[in-house]
Amino acid sequence: MSKDLSAGQFVAWFRSVAPYVNLFRGKTFLIAFGGKAIAGQLARTLAYDVNLLAALGVRLVLVHGARPQIEKLMRERGLQSVYHGNYRVTDTKAINCVIDAVGSIYVEIEALLSQGLADTPMANSTIRVVGGNFITAKPVGVVDGVDLQYSGQVRKIDAEGIRAQLSLGNIVLLSCIGSSPTGEIFNLAMEEVAEAVATSLLADKLIFLSDSRGATDIDGALLDELTVEAAERLIKLGDWLSTDLKRYLPCAVRASRAGVGRVHLLGYDEDGTLLRELFTHDGVGTVITQESLEQLHDAGPDDIGGLVALIEPLEADGTLVRRSRELLEREITRFSVVEHDGVIVGCAALYPYGEGQAELACLAVHPHYRRWGYGALLMKRIEAQARVAGVNRLFVLTTATSQWFKERGFTVRQIDELPAEKRLVYNLQRRSMVLMKEL
C-alpha cells in the first residue's frame, strides 16, 4: 500500500469503485488508439489497464492505427506520403508499407497483452487475444479527380463473429486494414473502423485515445461532457482542436447517434487516464452522449434510495435536519432531484404553508458536483413551482449556507416573520438563520 494512502482511504477508495465494477461487468467497450499511442512510453501501462478491464468482466474490442509507423517505413523506403483530404493516396508501394507496419504493431500489441511477470499487474492473468477477417472493405475510389487506389472504407462488419469471440472471454484486436470479397487489401482510417465496429455491436462505450486530454473550448479548458448537438457545433467552430480530435469527433457523433451508449475522448500521454475516466465521478476526458447526462425531474419512490445516500452525510455533519426514510417516503412528491449519469447528485423540496408562503428545504448537492451549478438549477426549479402554486414569498432555514442564498436574492429576516405553523417547530438549539425571498 502506498505510504500516501492510509488504510481507511484505501478501503474507501476501493469501495467507491465497486458500483462501476458491477455496472461494467458484461458490457462491451471498444478502445481505439492510433499508432502514436503504441509508440509512446505508456503503451505497456495501457496494456495493464486493458488487462484489468478484461479481468473485471468487460468485453473488449481494441482497434489500432499505424499512421506514424507507416510514415516511417515509407521514408526508409524512399517513398513520399501523399494525402487527399483525410485519406492517404495508397498506391501499390504504399499498401506494402501499410501491411508491414500494421502487422508489426499487431504483433507488438499481442506481446504487450501477453505479459505475465510476477511483479506486474498482469501476473496470474490469462488473456486470449484474437483477430480475424471481421472487416470487409471497399475502395474509396476517385475523389475530386484523385484516385485513392488502395485507400478504403468499411463495407461490412462481422458483428456476429466478434460477439462470438467476446462471449468466450477473448479480447478482439482489429487493425486499420480490411480486405474485399475479391481478396484485395485496403488501408482504412482507424477511427472509421472503430465507429463502424462500435455501431454494429451497439457497444456500451467507444473510447478514443488521442493526442489531446479531451475536447476543449477556445481557451483550452476541458469540456467534460457534450451532447451530440454540442459536439457537432464544436466540429464546425473548433479550429483550435488537435489533429486527432478533428478526425475522431465526427466519428464520435455518428456513433452516438447510431446507438453507442457513451463515446469518450481521452489523452494517451498520461498514465492511468483510461481507469480514471471509467472509475471516478468526474473522469478526466470528454464524454459524448445522445442526450445530456444531466436530468432534472420530480422525485418518485424509486429515487428514495438515492436521496438517502445523498443527504445522510449532510445530516451527519449537521448541515441538514435529519429526515427518516419513512418521512422521505411520505413526502417524496415534494422533492425535485438532479441525476447525473443515472446517479442522484442533488435535491431540493418545496413545502407550502399557506398565505402565499412556502419553504425551500433540503437543498443539497453532492460535493463532487457543486461546481456545476446544480444548486442554482434546483433553486430555480423550486421557485418556478412556487410561483405556479401561488406562492409569493419563499423562505429557507440554514446554518451553513446563508451567504450562498444571499447572493441569490434572499435576505435575512426574523423568526417571527415565519408562518405560525413553522414557528411552532423552529429548533432553538439549531439556531438556523431565516432568509426570505419575494417572488
Side-chain angles (χ1 to χ4, degrees), residues 157-178:
I157 300 295
D158 181 6
E160 183 179 349
I162 294 174
R163 288 194 189 98
Q165 293 300 325
L166 295 176
S167 68
L168 295 173
N170 298 332
I171 293 178
V172 176
L173 176 59
L174 304 175
S175 65
C176 54
I177 59 175

Side-chain angles (χ1 to χ4, degrees), residues 60-170:
L60 291 173
V61 180
L62 307 182
V63 177
H64 75 85
R67 183 167 295 197
Q69 290 83 355
I70 295 170
E71 296 286 351
K72 183 174 181 292
L73 270 182
M74 292 190 69
R75 288 195 302 270
E76 291 175 352
R77 298 177 184 181
L79 304 174
Q80 184 176 0
S81 294
V82 179
Y83 289 88
H84 183 74
N86 291 329
Y87 293 100
R88 182 191 299 275
V89 179
T90 311
D91 59 16
T92 303
K93 293 181 179 178
I95 193 64
N96 288 330
C97 293
V98 170
I99 294 169
D100 291 345
V102 168
S104 175
I105 293 175
Y106 193 97
V107 171
E108 182 179 351
I109 295 172
E110 277 191 335
L112 288 170
L113 293 173
S114 300
Q115 302 171 80
L117 295 176
D119 59 346
T120 72
M122 296 181 71
N124 302 315
S125 67
T126 302
I127 289 182
R128 292 188 299 271
V129 182
V130 300
N133 57 338
F134 299 116
I135 303 170
T136 302
K138 62 181 180 180
V140 175
V142 178
V143 178
D144 300 326
V146 178
D147 186 357
L148 299 179
Q149 301 183 56
Y150 291 100
S151 285
Q153 295 175 323
V154 176
R155 177 178 178 180
K156 182 181 178 183
I157 300 295
D158 181 6
E160 183 179 349
I162 294 174
R163 288 194 189 98
Q165 293 300 325
L166 295 176
S167 68
L168 295 173
N170 298 332

Side-chain angles (χ1 to χ4, degrees), residues 348 360 363 374-384 394 404-405 408-410 437:
L360 165 57
L363 177 57
Y374 289 159
L377 193 67
L378 284 161
M379 189 185 75
K380 289 179 181 178
R381 181 181 178 87
I382 294 298
E383 288 180 355
L394 199 62
W404 188 88
F405 285 104
R408 287 156 181 82
F410 284 79
K437 182 177 183 178

